[in-house]
Amino acid sequence: MKYAGMPMGMWMIFHKSFQRNLTEVLKYDEEESRKITALAKKKYRELIERLPEFEKADRFKMNIVNCAMLSAFFLNMPTQPELSDATEYYKKSMMTGMMQRFCRMSGKKKYSESDIKAMKDTAKLKAGDRNPYSWNMDFYEYEDGSGYEARFTSCGICRLMGELGLTSLIPAMCRLDYTMSEAGGVTDFAREYTLASGGPYCDCGYKKK
């Protein structure tokens, strides 16, 4: 995957937040936070450039880019954080004011015809069959019209973080699904299983408030 474009842009947008929360959440001093961030930048680019390019229609490229960024920081911390701290760190680092506005804007389109069509198209794509760092998804609309479920049978985050020895910290990323749904303001998010915890799939249930 080329570093220029989305990966570079995501670093520019979020690296200051990731650095700030090394101090605010994980309690590193500012000098150590700067050092970790400098090392993470190099590792992040290395991870991006070892990933394959995603198909144009694959909507999950941003997910793997975010995974590479978080993993780069984890890999350059003196010690890996506890899962609870890692979860809070990722949440605070990602949910900037800009991201919260993005979630609210996305919430306005949730359950629209275009949203449903995009989900169905993603389910048909099955990009994970060709790219081990992408996702395969099945799509189910609730019969009562109250929303839908996206059910993932393969996960690029599990693949990449597993290869990096970070399997125990994968749930830190999974939890952001709840946070982003809450920020959108229109959905009660529900989940029973995750692949990261040994489940048969990851279910993402979106029910209208």
Side-chain angles (χ1 to χ4, degrees):
M1 183 187 296
K2 294 179 180 178
Y3 181 69
M6 181 199 292
M8 182 186 293
M10 293 297 285
W11 179 267
M12 292 174 65
I13 291 168
F14 287 105
H15 80 274
K16 290 183 179 178
S17 178
F18 275 74
Q19 179 176 327
R20 182 176 64 251
N21 285 293
L22 287 170
T23 300
E24 294 184 3
V25 176
L26 300 182
K27 308 306 179 184
Y28 290 102
D29 62 38
E30 292 191 6
E31 181 179 355
E32 188 70 18
S33 295
R34 286 193 295 270
K35 184 186 299 183
I36 292 169
T37 302
L39 293 170
K41 183 178 182 180
K42 295 178 182 178
K43 187 64 178 178
Y44 171 62
R45 181 163 186 164
E46 175 190 318
L47 293 175
I48 290 296
E49 291 180 342
R50 71 178 251 191
L51 292 169
E53 287 293 345
F54 275 47
E55 297 170 39
K56 187 175 181 180
D58 191 340
R59 64 187 291 168
F60 296 114
K61 180 176 179 178
M62 186 177 293
N63 297 57
I64 203 67
V65 167
N66 291 344
C67 177
M69 187 181 301
L70 180 62
S71 297
F73 276 89
F74 284 155
L75 290 169
N76 284 287
M77 294 175 189
T79 58
Q80 290 183 8
E82 295 294 325
L83 178 58
S84 59
D85 292 333
T87 302
E88 185 68 7
Y89 172 69
Y90 185 56
K91 173 185 173 181
K92 294 277 187 160
S93 298
M94 287 300 298
M95 296 306 292
T96 61
M98 182 190 69
M99 179 60 79
Q100 292 183 47
R101 289 192 296 274
F102 170 79
C103 290
R104 288 194 294 271
M105 290 175 61
S106 296
K108 293 178 181 179
K109 301 176 183 177
K110 199 74 173 172
Y111 313 112
S112 65
E113 287 186 14
S114 61
D115 177 53
I116 300 297
K117 181 180 183 303
M119 297 297 288
K120 289 180 177 179
D121 288 346
T122 297
K124 292 177 183 176
L125 186 63
K126 294 289 187 291
D129 286 345
R130 299 171 296 282
N131 180 351
Y133 300 96
S134 189
W135 282 254
N136 280 347
M137 185 193 87
D138 295 316
F139 177 72
Y140 303 92
E141 291 187 80
Y142 297 140
E143 292 183 0
D144 61 3
S146 63
Y148 58 75
E149 178 182 311
R151 186 176 295 179
F152 296 89
T153 54
S154 64
C155 169
I157 288 171
C158 290
R159 176 65 178 256
L160 180 58
M161 293 184 75
E163 291 175 350
L164 297 173
L166 299 171
T167 300
S168 65
L169 297 178
I170 294 172
M173 294 200 72
C174 302
R175 182 64 195 177
L176 198 71
D177 290 331
Y178 290 87
T179 304
M180 292 182 70
S181 291
E182 290 168 8
V186 299
T187 294
D188 289 321
F189 185 82
R191 168 176 286 149
E192 186 173 3
Y193 303 108
T194 64
L195 293 169
S197 62
Y201 48 77
C202 294
D203 53 319
C204 298
Y206 299 92
K207 298 205 74 171
K208 300 174 185 177
K209 282 185 178 291

